[in-house]
Amino acid sequence: MKLVEVEFERSVFSPEQFPRDQLPQIAFAGRSNVGKSSMINNLLQQKNLARISSRPGKTRSINFLRINRKFYFIDLPGYGYAKVPRKEREKWKWLIDAYFGENRQLRGLVQIIDSRVGVTGNDAAMIRFSLEMEIEPFIVATKADKLKQKERAQQEKKIYAALHQFSLPRYLFFSAKTNLGKNEVWSWIEEQIRNKP
């Protein structure tokens, strides 16, 4: 993908703020502090377009990033951070439910997990939710550069076993530091945009 123009379009805090154009959308979901912002910045060759924070749970909106004026990356709020107040978590859930429920331009969902941790209960809940919405997620395991060869082999088996219950055998290791998996993620994104109505 040749990146000609990348811009932060808007932060959305309520369904009324969703863009009403017909541009395709690729969403990114993952638990807080999983490396989602680093992954998005890496894919877009940017440093701070998706905001990286040392404080998990900081992203409290759905952020729309417009690529080449042709499609959007959607940065969904991170989930699973216990210190976020319950009322705030409920608001996030309401916003995400509205996004998936009303959206007709969503072409694909990149579901991000931490390669060192594997599929958590919150990850499994998000995968289950997306499948219920008839969206098959593309599973990407970030921070792969932090795994030694033996650890990676162990995690591969662990992740495969966890995803097997969802009949999702395909997943990809990714590193924003080494660019591992970057080309494969872009190939998948281009396929979703090109082949889905």
Side-chain angles (χ1 to χ4, degrees):
M1 170 67 68
K2 183 178 180 180
L3 298 172
V4 178
E5 183 179 19
V6 178
E7 56 187 332
F8 186 92
E9 172 67 18
R10 70 182 70 177
S11 291
V12 168
F13 294 89
S14 67
E16 295 78 19
Q17 298 173 324
F18 292 148
R20 300 304 175 185
D21 56 36
Q22 302 300 307
L23 296 181
Q25 300 177 12
I26 300 293
F28 292 77
R31 67 181 180 84
S32 297
N33 210 27
V34 77
K36 178 163 53 69
S37 295
S38 295
M39 178 181 178
I40 292 172
N41 285 330
N42 175 269
L43 291 172
L44 298 179
Q45 300 173 24
Q46 303 283 325
K47 287 187 177 180
N48 299 304
L49 192 65
R51 294 158 191 169
I52 300 171
S53 173
S54 59
R55 287 174 22 216
K58 186 178 180 182
T59 303
R60 303 189 180 194
S61 59
I62 296 179
N63 297 317
F64 286 72
L65 314 174
R66 191 164 57 182
I67 320 300
N68 293 347
R69 301 198 173 205
K70 292 184 177 179
F71 63 96
Y72 289 107
F73 273 11
I74 311 301
D75 185 4
L76 297 172
Y79 54 77
Y81 188 58
K83 290 185 180 180
V84 174
R86 179 179 175 182
K87 186 174 289 187
E88 194 70 42
R89 292 200 304 269
E90 290 174 351
K91 186 176 180 181
W92 293 356
K93 184 179 183 303
W94 166 76
L95 186 59
I96 290 173
D97 286 350
Y99 172 76
F100 281 99
E102 296 182 13
N103 198 303
R104 297 296 176 266
Q105 306 309 318
L106 183 62
R107 297 292 187 267
L109 172 68
V110 179
Q111 172 64 45
I112 303 170
I113 63 174
D114 189 324
S115 63
R116 303 166 301 173
V117 177
V119 180
T120 67
N122 286 314
D123 294 328
M126 185 65 196
I127 292 170
R128 194 173 295 110
F129 170 76
S130 65
L131 292 173
E132 288 172 356
M133 300 299 291
E134 300 183 352
I135 301 167
E136 182 174 316
F138 180 41
I139 311 297
V140 176
T142 57
K143 306 183 182 181
D145 58 281
K146 298 183 182 296
L147 292 173
K148 296 178 181 178
Q149 188 172 357
K150 184 177 180 180
E151 293 172 328
R152 177 168 167 173
Q154 293 172 339
Q155 287 303 99
E156 283 179 343
K157 294 178 182 178
K158 184 177 175 182
I159 293 170
Y160 179 85
L163 295 176
H164 182 70
Q165 62 178 308
F166 302 108
S167 300
L168 294 173
R170 182 184 180 193
Y171 63 94
L172 179 74
F173 278 93
F174 182 90
S175 169
K177 185 175 181 179
T178 67
N179 290 327
L180 174 70
K182 182 174 182 177
N183 291 337
E184 290 84 349
V185 172
W186 267 120
S187 294
W188 179 85
I189 290 171
E190 290 172 338
E191 181 183 347
Q192 305 314 301
I193 293 173
R194 182 173 57 247
N195 294 339
K196 292 190 176 181

